[in-house]
Amino acid sequence: MKVLILLKDIGYEPKDFHTTLSPEDLEYSGEYEILEDIDVNIKVQKTDIGYKIRISGKTTMKFVCSRCLDEFEREYVFEDENILRKGYESLERLSDMDVETLTIERDEIDVLPLIRDIFIATLPINPLCSENCLGICPVCGVKMNGVPHNHKKEGIKLGDIINAAKRR
């Protein structure tokens, strides 16, 4: 699938586009599950140096909490802005703007790879089911959210922990 935008039709006034992508269209095969279609909004505007493109989107995803390992569903929103320049200009050194600049060669651009890159780059590294998630007890392995824990600091043996784990 391609999501093509004809740049020759874009002027100095921002032009909005909307598309809906299925999880299969995005070709994402990461550790989190996309649960529904992805709504994507694209805003393109001609500038003095090229075209400014802003891509934003949202969907619902299933994450795994990095503290307690519970699965949870949450709306995932992503957004980024880039500059598109025609041709490969020789640059003596990179400026801050060049980091966000993409070069294009034609009057049309397939924005699907850009959408995919923004989607993946903005995924959370350590998603949390809640900001105050206490995680898993390092001694007994029980989830500590809402469960009182009183372990003795001395006298816990590795064998006791293994036996307790086997009984579960």
Short mmCIF file of all heavy atoms in Angstrom, two decimals, residues 94-121:
data_model
loop_
_atom_site.label_atom_id
_atom_site.label_comp_id
_atom_site.label_asym_id
_atom_site.label_seq_id
_atom_site.Cartn_x
_atom_site.Cartn_y
_atom_site.Cartn_z
N LEU A 94 26.12 19.72 8.93
CA LEU A 94 24.71 19.56 9.27
C LEU A 94 24.31 20.58 10.32
O LEU A 94 25.01 20.77 11.31
CB LEU A 94 24.45 18.16 9.80
CG LEU A 94 24.54 17.02 8.79
CD1 LEU A 94 24.39 15.68 9.52
CD2 LEU A 94 23.51 17.16 7.70
N SER A 95 23.18 21.20 10.11
CA SER A 95 22.62 22.10 11.11
C SER A 95 21.49 21.35 11.83
O SER A 95 21.13 20.24 11.45
CB SER A 95 22.08 23.37 10.46
OG SER A 95 20.95 23.07 9.66
N ASP A 96 20.93 21.97 12.86
CA ASP A 96 19.82 21.34 13.57
C ASP A 96 18.65 21.08 12.63
O ASP A 96 17.97 20.07 12.74
CB ASP A 96 19.35 22.22 14.73
CG ASP A 96 20.35 22.25 15.86
OD1 ASP A 96 21.23 21.36 15.90
OD2 ASP A 96 20.26 23.16 16.70
N MET A 97 18.41 21.98 11.68
CA MET A 97 17.30 21.81 10.76
C MET A 97 17.52 20.60 9.83
O MET A 97 16.59 19.90 9.49
CB MET A 97 17.09 23.07 9.92
CG MET A 97 15.92 22.93 8.95
SD MET A 97 15.76 24.32 7.86
CE MET A 97 14.77 25.37 8.87
N ASP A 98 18.77 20.34 9.47
CA ASP A 98 19.06 19.24 8.55
C ASP A 98 18.74 17.87 9.16
O ASP A 98 18.47 16.92 8.43
CB ASP A 98 20.52 19.28 8.11
CG ASP A 98 20.82 20.52 7.28
OD1 ASP A 98 19.94 20.92 6.51
OD2 ASP A 98 21.93 21.07 7.41
N VAL A 99 18.77 17.77 10.45
CA VAL A 99 18.45 16.51 11.11
C VAL A 99 16.98 16.14 10.85
O VAL A 99 16.64 14.98 10.72
CB VAL A 99 18.75 16.59 12.62
CG1 VAL A 99 18.29 15.35 13.33
CG2 VAL A 99 20.23 16.81 12.83
N GLU A 100 16.13 17.13 10.78
CA GLU A 100 14.70 16.91 10.54
C GLU A 100 14.33 17.05 9.07
O GLU A 100 13.16 17.15 8.73
CB GLU A 100 13.86 17.90 11.37
CG GLU A 100 14.05 17.75 12.87
CD GLU A 100 13.52 16.43 13.40
OE1 GLU A 100 12.48 15.96 12.92
OE2 GLU A 100 14.17 15.87 14.30
N THR A 101 15.32 17.06 8.17
CA THR A 101 15.07 17.28 6.76
C THR A 101 15.20 15.98 5.98
O THR A 101 16.15 15.23 6.15
CB THR A 101 16.07 18.32 6.19
OG1 THR A 101 15.91 19.53 6.90
CG2 THR A 101 15.83 18.56 4.71
N LEU A 102 14.23 15.73 5.12
CA LEU A 102 14.25 14.58 4.23
C LEU A 102 14.37 15.09 2.80
O LEU A 102 13.76 16.09 2.44
CB LEU A 102 12.96 13.77 4.37
CG LEU A 102 12.63 13.30 5.78
CD1 LEU A 102 11.23 12.73 5.82
CD2 LEU A 102 13.63 12.26 6.23
N THR A 103 15.17 14.42 1.99
CA THR A 103 15.30 14.84 0.60
C THR A 103 14.38 13.99 -0.27
O THR A 103 14.22 12.79 -0.05
CB THR A 103 16.74 14.72 0.11
OG1 THR A 103 17.21 13.41 0.34
CG2 THR A 103 17.63 15.72 0.81
N ILE A 104 13.78 14.64 -1.26
CA ILE A 104 12.89 13.97 -2.19
C ILE A 104 13.33 14.32 -3.60
O ILE A 104 13.98 15.35 -3.82
CB ILE A 104 11.42 14.39 -1.96
CG1 ILE A 104 11.28 15.91 -1.97
CG2 ILE A 104 10.89 13.80 -0.67
CD1 ILE A 104 9.87 16.40 -1.87
N GLU A 105 12.99 13.47 -4.56
CA GLU A 105 13.42 13.70 -5.93
C GLU A 105 12.27 13.97 -6.88
O GLU A 105 12.49 14.46 -7.97
CB GLU A 105 14.21 12.49 -6.42
CG GLU A 105 15.52 12.31 -5.68
CD GLU A 105 16.35 11.18 -6.25
OE1 GLU A 105 16.19 10.86 -7.44
OE2 GLU A 105 17.15 10.63 -5.51
N ARG A 106 11.04 13.65 -6.50
CA ARG A 106 9.91 13.81 -7.41
C ARG A 106 8.86 14.72 -6.80
O ARG A 106 8.99 15.15 -5.66
CB ARG A 106 9.30 12.43 -7.70
CG ARG A 106 10.30 11.48 -8.35
CD ARG A 106 9.66 10.22 -8.84
NE ARG A 106 8.70 9.68 -7.87
CZ ARG A 106 8.58 8.41 -7.59
NH1 ARG A 106 9.32 7.53 -8.17
NH2 ARG A 106 7.69 8.00 -6.72
N ASP A 107 7.82 14.98 -7.58
CA ASP A 107 6.73 15.84 -7.11
C ASP A 107 5.67 15.07 -6.34
O ASP A 107 4.61 15.61 -6.04
CB ASP A 107 6.07 16.55 -8.30
CG ASP A 107 6.90 17.70 -8.80
OD1 ASP A 107 7.66 18.27 -7.99
OD2 ASP A 107 6.80 18.02 -9.99
N GLU A 108 5.94 13.80 -6.06
CA GLU A 108 5.03 13.03 -5.22
C GLU A 108 5.85 12.30 -4.18
O GLU A 108 7.01 11.98 -4.39
CB GLU A 108 4.20 12.05 -6.05
CG GLU A 108 4.99 10.92 -6.67
CD GLU A 108 4.12 9.97 -7.47
OE1 GLU A 108 3.00 10.34 -7.84
OE2 GLU A 108 4.57 8.85 -7.71
N ILE A 109 5.23 12.05 -3.05
CA ILE A 109 5.92 11.34 -1.97
C ILE A 109 4.97 10.32 -1.38
O ILE A 109 3.78 10.59 -1.17
CB ILE A 109 6.44 12.31 -0.88
CG1 ILE A 109 7.16 11.51 0.22
CG2 ILE A 109 5.35 13.16 -0.32
CD1 ILE A 109 7.89 12.35 1.22
N ASP A 110 5.51 9.14 -1.15
CA ASP A 110 4.78 8.10 -0.42
C ASP A 110 5.09 8.32 1.06
O ASP A 110 6.22 8.12 1.49
CB ASP A 110 5.22 6.71 -0.88
CG ASP A 110 4.50 5.59 -0.14
OD1 ASP A 110 3.51 5.87 0.58
OD2 ASP A 110 4.92 4.43 -0.28
N VAL A 111 4.10 8.75 1.83
CA VAL A 111 4.33 9.07 3.23
C VAL A 111 4.18 7.87 4.16
O VAL A 111 4.45 7.98 5.35
CB VAL A 111 3.42 10.23 3.72
CG1 VAL A 111 3.78 11.52 3.03
CG2 VAL A 111 1.97 9.90 3.55
N LEU A 112 3.80 6.70 3.62
CA LEU A 112 3.65 5.52 4.48
C LEU A 112 4.94 5.16 5.21
O LEU A 112 4.91 4.91 6.42
CB LEU A 112 3.10 4.34 3.69
CG LEU A 112 2.81 3.08 4.50
CD1 LEU A 112 1.78 3.36 5.60
CD2 LEU A 112 2.31 1.97 3.60
N PRO A 113 6.11 5.14 4.55
CA PRO A 113 7.35 4.86 5.31
C PRO A 113 7.62 5.90 6.40
O PRO A 113 8.11 5.55 7.47
CB PRO A 113 8.44 4.90 4.23
CG PRO A 113 7.74 4.61 2.96
CD PRO A 113 6.37 5.22 3.11
N LEU A 114 7.27 7.15 6.14
CA LEU A 114 7.45 8.20 7.14
C LEU A 114 6.50 7.99 8.32
O LEU A 114 6.90 8.13 9.48
CB LEU A 114 7.24 9.57 6.50
CG LEU A 114 7.58 10.80 7.31
CD1 LEU A 114 9.00 10.75 7.84
CD2 LEU A 114 7.37 12.04 6.46
N ILE A 115 5.25 7.63 8.02
CA ILE A 115 4.28 7.33 9.08
C ILE A 115 4.79 6.17 9.94
O ILE A 115 4.76 6.22 11.17
CB ILE A 115 2.90 6.99 8.49
CG1 ILE A 115 2.29 8.22 7.79
CG2 ILE A 115 1.95 6.46 9.57
CD1 ILE A 115 1.08 7.90 6.94
N ARG A 116 5.27 5.11 9.29
CA ARG A 116 5.79 3.93 10.00
C ARG A 116 6.96 4.32 10.90
O ARG A 116 7.03 3.91 12.06
CB ARG A 116 6.21 2.86 8.99
CG ARG A 116 6.69 1.57 9.64
CD ARG A 116 7.14 0.51 8.64
NE ARG A 116 6.15 0.26 7.61
CZ ARG A 116 6.29 0.59 6.32
NH1 ARG A 116 7.38 1.18 5.90
NH2 ARG A 116 5.34 0.31 5.45
N ASP A 117 7.89 5.12 10.37
CA ASP A 117 9.06 5.53 11.16
C ASP A 117 8.66 6.35 12.38
O ASP A 117 9.19 6.15 13.48
CB ASP A 117 10.03 6.34 10.30
CG ASP A 117 10.73 5.50 9.25
OD1 ASP A 117 10.65 4.26 9.32
OD2 ASP A 117 11.37 6.10 8.36
N ILE A 118 7.73 7.28 12.20
CA ILE A 118 7.28 8.11 13.32
C ILE A 118 6.55 7.25 14.35
O ILE A 118 6.76 7.38 15.56
CB ILE A 118 6.38 9.26 12.82
CG1 ILE A 118 7.20 10.23 11.98
CG2 ILE A 118 5.71 9.99 13.99
CD1 ILE A 118 6.38 11.22 11.20
N PHE A 119 5.70 6.35 13.88
CA PHE A 119 4.97 5.44 14.77
C PHE A 119 5.94 4.65 15.65
O PHE A 119 5.79 4.60 16.86
CB PHE A 119 4.10 4.49 13.92
CG PHE A 119 3.35 3.47 14.70
CD1 PHE A 119 2.10 3.76 15.21
CD2 PHE A 119 3.88 2.21 14.94
CE1 PHE A 119 1.39 2.82 15.94
CE2 PHE A 119 3.19 1.27 15.67
CZ PHE A 119 1.94 1.57 16.17
N ILE A 120 6.94 4.06 15.04
CA ILE A 120 7.89 3.21 15.78
C ILE A 120 8.80 4.04 16.67
O ILE A 120 9.06 3.68 17.82
CB ILE A 120 8.70 2.33 14.80
CG1 ILE A 120 7.76 1.31 14.14
CG2 ILE A 120 9.86 1.64 15.50
CD1 ILE A 120 8.38 0.54 13.00
N ALA A 121 9.28 5.17 16.17
CA ALA A 121 10.23 5.99 16.94
C ALA A 121 9.62 6.60 18.20
O ALA A 121 10.33 6.89 19.15
CB ALA A 121 10.80 7.11 16.06
#
